[in-house]
Amino acid sequence: MLEIRVLELGNGLAAAYATKLLVDLGATVTKAEPPRGDPLRCHGPSPTAHADRGSGLFQYLNAGKGSVELDTTAETDRSRLAALAEQHHILVESLGPGELESLHVPAPRTVVRISPFGQSGPYRNRPATSAVLQAAGGWTARIGTPEGPPYFVGGH
């Protein structure tokens, strides 16, 4: 059986969930976290018995993954990241437009780039809050009354 190795680079729910699905399908995933850890570690309720492992959401999204702490502003850690990328088949990143290129990471066989408005084009740097994405997707037009204010779906 072929072992698929995936490197996750970035913050937020999208890359974490995408790689969670790959873990569920049998892939080996390594999550590269910033020096103080992924911000999702502190998001939402943390169980008191296992608070050192992060929030319930973080534990759900990252169960079965390996983790490495990297400071991409430090040259030594950028070198470690490049070496990691060469050891993996797939890179899943959600860094933002142009950020992967600025790290000079060698691309593995497959690169999955997650970005709300793409890597190029006029909206690539537009803020992408839940409200903005719901409005851009037309959700706010389908909820509430036409004469009233827009309503937003809860969650992320």
Side-chain angles (χ1 to χ4, degrees), residues 4-18:
I4 303 294
R5 292 183 308 277
V6 181
L7 178 60
E8 177 189 331
L9 185 58
N11 295 316
L13 297 172
Y17 187 69

Side-chain angles (χ1 to χ4, degrees), residues 9 21-22 24 36 49 51 56 61 64 75 89 115 125 133 147 154:
L9 185 58
L21 295 175
L22 294 172
D24 291 348
R36 287 185 218 61
L61 291 172
E75 184 60 40
H89 302 104
S115 173
N125 292 318
L133 295 175
E147 63 277 351

